[in-house]
Amino acid sequence: FAGNNTINGNISGLNTSSIANNGTLNLNGDNSGYLGTFTQNSGITNVSNKFFGGTSTINGGTFNWYTQENLPTGAKLLVENGNLNIGSDSNIAILTLNTNSSIKDTVQTNINRNSYLNIAGGSANINNNDNWLGTINLSDGTLYTNLPSNSNAQNGRLNATGGNLNIDSGI
């Protein structure tokens, strides 16, 4: 996809198919039936409903998660670089990372107030450059952070009931 694209219907496809976004892509439908690969190297993707069921890799640009829908079973979301926004001032969003999904430390992550990042088998790195205003729930998987000493985390909340919590205090 290039330019401005809004998909209100449903995208589906086999695991041998691939989609690349370098423009603006607005996903409003149930796209969980798409089992192929999705790659974003630049541009913007706005997710407002069910996301893809295959492997999605965000290498750059901005990825906006504006939904409360879980990733489909077996889906993998790899946020490698760029910007990740979970929620916005006008909506509450919930992103649940399952096994094999991750958010790398090179990503500028913004967890909006009243939104949630659930780590349930995947991993996330939330560092001093990120804005942690919402809630992180760690039940399985790993959270790497050094935010407790940073003002960007002053309003964020952490609930850890399992998994691995690694805090680097910068000492």
Side-chain angles (χ1 to χ4, degrees), residues 64-66 84-94 109-117 130-136 152 155-157:
N64 296 314
W65 188 267
Y66 295 149
L84 169 64
N85 297 309
I86 302 170
S88 69
D89 290 339
S90 61
N91 70 44
I92 295 171
I94 302 169
T109 303
N110 299 298
I111 306 169
N112 200 284
R113 189 175 323 281
N114 299 320
S115 289
Y116 300 84
L117 171 60
D130 299 322
N131 294 305
W132 176 1
L133 301 174
T135 300
I136 296 176
N152 290 339
N155 295 312
R157 293 170 302 285

Side-chain angles (χ1 to χ4, degrees), residues 11-69:
I11 297 175
S12 62
L14 301 174
N15 59 2
T16 56
S17 57
S18 64
I19 295 174
N21 179 43
N22 293 310
T24 299
L25 178 59
N26 300 303
L27 297 172
N28 298 324
D30 178 350
N31 298 294
S32 59
Y34 178 72
L35 304 177
T37 60
F38 172 75
T39 304
Q40 177 177 303
N41 293 316
S42 63
I44 300 169
T45 298
N46 299 308
V47 180
S48 298
N49 201 330
K50 292 184 180 179
F51 193 57
F52 301 131
T55 298
S56 299
T57 305
I58 310 304
N59 292 317
T62 300
F63 187 73
N64 296 314
W65 188 267
Y66 295 149
T67 182
Q68 295 183 26
E69 298 288 343

